Amino acid sequence: MRTRFGRRKRNSNTKPTRQHPSPIEDGPGAPASDEAPPVPAAHPGVPAVVHVALAGNPNAGKTSIFNNLTGGRQRVANYPGVTVETKEGLRRHGGVTYRIVDLPGAYSLTANSPEELIAREYILRERPDVVVQVVDASNLERGLYMTIQFLELGVRLVLALNMIDEARARGLRIDTALLGERLGAEVVETVGNRGIGTDALLAAIERARTRPPRPPEGRYPAELAALAAEVRRQVEALGAAKYPAHWAAIKFLEGDREVRQWLAAAADGRATQFESATRRADQLARRTGESIEAQLAEARYGAVAGIYHEAVRRDLSPRRRMEISERIDAIVLNRYAGFPIFLLIMFALFQFTFTLGEPLMNGIEAAFGWLAGAIAAHLAPGPLRSLLLDGIIGGVGGVLVFVPNIVLLFVAIGLLEKSGYMARAAFIMDRIMHRIGLHGRSFIPMITGFGCSVPAIMATRTLEHERDRLATMMVVPLMSCSARLPIYTLLIPAFFPLRWRGFMFFLIYAIGVVLAIVMVKVLRVTVLAGESTPFVMELPPYRWPTARSVVADGWEKSVLYLRKAGTIVLAISILLWTATSYPVPTRHAVDASRLTASLSPAELARARAAEDIAYSLAGRTGRAMAVVFQPLGFDWKVCTALIGALGAKEVFVAQLGIVNSVGEDAPSVSDLHGVLAHDYTPLQGFCIMLFCLVAAPCMATVAATRRESNGWKWALLQFGGLTALAYVVTLAVFQLGMWWGIGV
Amino acid sequence: MPTSQKTIRRNTRTLAQLPPGQRGIVRRVTGGGSIHRRILDMGISKGTLIEAVCEAPLGDPIKIKVRGYALSLRKAEAALIELDETE
């Protein structure tokens, strides 16, 4: 990834005023993007690839614009050095290839959050030929604040007034020509979710590419402008060109950490010049009673207000959509009804996921049953048949069964997010989440954690502050993910009568939530101590989510899960099958004993199989572990299955199946129920679930935590901490259960 | 001018004290660091008209309207935003 982004690096002194500013072509033999078709000879002045960065606020419809531009052909990439995933795609239009990079959603370029910092650094470092800023046309005034910041950066800008239809319905009349004139940028109208305005956008990108950027001027109060000019001269005198001088001067005065560090390093001893500027800035702030930052923000808003009121007329017709949103909010955020509605929606989410998923699951199960039957009928008993039936079908089939649940859950979460309710959920939950030590927004990754910890940990990116992010990330695995569902659906029916099953499901999920709360508290007074962080969040207008976007999103996330199931789980299933099958004992003790005559052939086979697995590598490891886990009520079989759960939680089920049915022809869940009910007490069954809930998250989760927390420290703390917690909690439950004689 | 200082103080109230349905104009945003910056980024600066809409069902945070859109923030953060009365 690094090379692909890094390749675009070039000198910052590329003259933007030339007729054909095609800096990518300037370097002899600058490579085109991998998928770019050859440049047609008929367009000698056209660069190989026009590099376009797509930026904008969250909720502005950036994703749909990106999909319209790239036609869905895209690839996911990582920004160098950090882990925010981004998409990029190519578009051929009028003989030009556009490489379109989707920047993370951000409200400004002040580098408050990793997203903002990434968006800013990307533009500064990679210097895209054109930046397209997508704004919600109904929310133009705030969008223009970011526009001004882009112009300060000196980029060639296209402003896409997205969802212009909604803005019109609200009675906004935007004079795009005048707006473009005042800003010195191209302005186009788009309706991203209906695919309107894409060609106009491409044409605007083409115009912007050949248009010199106009640095904003005269927007600051005289005294600040003078100060900025002074700092700018000093920056220019340094001769360093990492950041544009004008911009660096403004950011220096704002007290921007990144820029100040850079300037301090660049000045290297000559910092006295900046000291005088800093002193004057401090004096100015003291005299006016307002920070330089606030003054600059005001100046920008002043400029925005001027341009906005010139270019935008508001008809007196009712502001329909806002009004509808207000009316919905009046109910949904109502003091009395708000919380019950929230709980109802959460309940609906789980009903939708699990009830609707049920028939689909049964279908998949039946398909695998048929496949297993077909293989059993056509293959002679032997290692290959055993591998296929017990290893592969048992393992991968057991995972695929949960695909409907996962698709539905992600669709449900997508619906909440895209409709605008997710922000309300955070709003309603913040009081509680804040009291716990988290942020209202932590709620989103936490609830995603019920689907899969991996996207949930990725979703912690929406949290602005590192402490919130880490705290959330660390406890997300305690939200019982869908991969643990197979464990519960196997164990609960095996040990509990029908009327208790619903409660047991609830109990295990509730324990996860309670432990998460406790662990956050612990983290907040130990490794993550410190004051709590701000909650300033937009409540976007309610919108009808388009079916296409919700389904595409659900599908995309499910494919991620499937890829994991298809590769990791398959590999682990085969490995575990090998570990449970080899080495093979040369002879069986049961054959030598006098018992042989009294056993039926089936019982004999089973006794032999039990010896086989005890002799195998997995059995030996499990036995060694059983010494430690015996106080928890776990025998070596459970321990052997726990080894599998390390790779992926759902493998536990496959592994337990193999451990209990190796050598038998038809391993199935209902058979396993019988075996388990025979071998263990309900208390043991519960303890197994408890341990699986809390213990070491799967490898993919550990990897995600490592990536998102940018180091092994937190990943290992999470892994070790949760495993230790699981041991202690399960030990307590088992021992107390034994003591009181519950479920024995 | 101690008297005028006193008068201002008496008339100053923060967004946290603004009852739902009422409006105020931002006099200044106090505090510092990233909270301050975030508030500015979201469109709240000197002279901005703010309308308090409602509290969350559990009493905190609050919902406000600013520059034609809806924003939520905790009362602790709203207390950093000093308002002038509107006529």
Side-chain angles (χ1 to χ4, degrees), chain A residues 287-498:
Chain A
R287 198 168 64 245
T288 52
E290 227 181 349
S291 71
I292 299 292
E293 209 177 358
Q295 292 182 39
L296 284 166
E298 261 160 45
R300 285 188 197 113
Y301 277 117
V304 164
I307 295 169
Y308 183 84
H309 290 115
E310 228 180 317
V312 180
R313 291 273 168 275
R314 165 160 270 159
D315 290 353
L316 289 174
S317 61
R319 293 179 290 155
R320 214 172 50 86
R321 193 171 53 97
M322 191 62 178
E323 215 171 57
I324 290 171
S325 281
E326 289 302 308
R327 272 190 226 152
I328 297 173
D329 266 356
I331 300 163
V332 157
L333 302 181
N334 180 279
R335 179 175 296 266
Y336 305 103
F339 210 77
I341 290 173
F342 166 76
L343 292 177
L344 207 67
I345 287 174
M346 290 303 119
F347 180 76
L349 178 124
F350 282 93
Q351 280 296 310
F352 173 79
T353 305
F354 297 112
T355 315
L356 221 61
E358 185 73 24
L360 296 166
M361 284 170 72
N362 293 341
I364 293 176
E365 218 161 38
F368 272 96
W370 176 85
L371 188 65
I375 290 172
H378 288 92
L379 274 178
L384 179 62
R385 180 168 129 172
S386 172
L387 172 65
L388 284 176
L389 287 181
D390 302 326
I392 295 173
I393 291 182
V396 176
V399 172
L400 288 182
V401 157
F402 296 93
V403 167
N405 278 346
I406 287 156
V407 177
L408 289 170
L409 181 72
F410 281 128
V411 164
I413 288 174
L415 276 172
L416 291 187
E417 250 165 27
K418 292 182 175 72
S419 65
Y421 187 76
M422 207 54 125
R424 272 75 182 181
F427 179 69
I428 290 171
M429 287 302 289
D430 184 65
R431 185 74 188 262
I432 294 173
M433 300 304 278
H434 186 46
R435 193 164 287 174
I436 292 167
L438 292 174
H439 184 278
R441 281 199 182 184
S442 304
F443 181 75
I444 296 164
M446 293 293 254
I447 196 122
T448 310
F450 286 121
C452 179
S453 301
V454 175
I457 284 167
M458 290 170 180
T460 58
R461 284 261 152 198
T462 57
L463 288 152
E464 200 184 310
H465 292 267
E466 198 178 21
R467 275 202 315 264
D468 286 335
R469 206 158 52 230
L470 286 171
T472 310
M473 212 183 286
M474 297 304 278
V475 300
V476 151
L478 288 168
M479 301 291 106
S480 194
C481 71
S482 56
R484 274 167 273 193
L485 200 57
I487 302 173
Y488 311 146
T489 45
L490 173 73
L491 295 175
I492 289 175
F495 293 108
F496 300 98
L498 193 60

Side-chain angles (χ1 to χ4, degrees), chain A residues 107-334:
Chain A
Y107 285 105
S108 88
L109 298 176
T110 44
N112 271 328
S113 68
E115 281 78 8
E116 288 174 2
L117 190 62
I118 286 163
R120 185 173 111 177
E121 286 295 303
Y122 187 86
I123 289 165
L124 286 165
R125 199 171 48 230
E126 309 298 336
R127 312 221 174 208
D129 299 308
V130 176
V131 174
V132 175
Q133 188 202 350
V134 182
V135 296
D136 176 356
S138 309
N139 207 344
L140 182 59
E141 202 176 348
R142 201 197 52 210
L144 286 176
Y145 182 70
M146 199 179 181
T147 309
I148 297 283
Q149 294 184 315
F150 277 122
L151 295 174
E152 282 172 356
L153 265 176
V155 299
R156 296 184 191 81
L157 191 72
V158 175
L159 192 63
L161 304 177
N162 198 26
M163 300 184 276
I164 192 78
D165 52 341
E166 286 182 11
R168 289 207 187 101
R170 283 177 67 178
L172 292 173
R173 296 282 173 274
I174 302 169
D175 185 339
T176 52
L178 187 65
L179 188 61
E181 167 68 26
R182 289 288 176 269
L183 290 170
E186 296 292 332
V187 180
V188 284
E189 299 179 343
T190 56
V191 185
N193 56 8
R194 289 201 272 136
I196 296 169
T198 308
D199 284 348
L201 181 55
L202 283 163
I205 291 170
E206 199 48 37
R207 284 196 304 275
R209 190 170 67 80
T210 54
R211 167 183 190 158
R214 194 174 73 195
E217 54 211 25
R219 293 203 168 102
Y220 307 115
E223 219 169 335
L224 260 179
L227 202 51
E230 188 194 316
V231 177
R232 180 184 179 159
R233 275 193 300 277
Q234 289 167 3
V235 173
E236 278 166 349
L238 285 176
K242 186 181 172 192
Y243 299 121
H246 164 79
W247 182 83
I250 298 287
K251 287 289 148 184
F252 176 83
L253 292 175
E254 274 188 354
D256 187 279
R257 201 156 45 116
E258 310 283 324
V259 171
R260 285 210 165 176
Q261 276 169 3
W262 168 68
L263 282 177
D268 190 32
R270 288 171 292 163
T272 41
Q273 320 165 13
F274 290 111
E275 269 169 27
S276 107
T278 311
R279 210 165 36 243
R280 279 179 56 194
D282 290 345
Q283 279 166 4
L284 182 60
R286 257 200 309 281
R287 198 168 64 245
T288 52
E290 227 181 349
S291 71
I292 299 292
E293 209 177 358
Q295 292 182 39
L296 284 166
E298 261 160 45
R300 285 188 197 113
Y301 277 117
V304 164
I307 295 169
Y308 183 84
H309 290 115
E310 228 180 317
V312 180
R313 291 273 168 275
R314 165 160 270 159
D315 290 353
L316 289 174
S317 61
R319 293 179 290 155
R320 214 172 50 86
R321 193 171 53 97
M322 191 62 178
E323 215 171 57
I324 290 171
S325 281
E326 289 302 308
R327 272 190 226 152
I328 297 173
D329 266 356
I331 300 163
V332 157
L333 302 181
N334 180 279

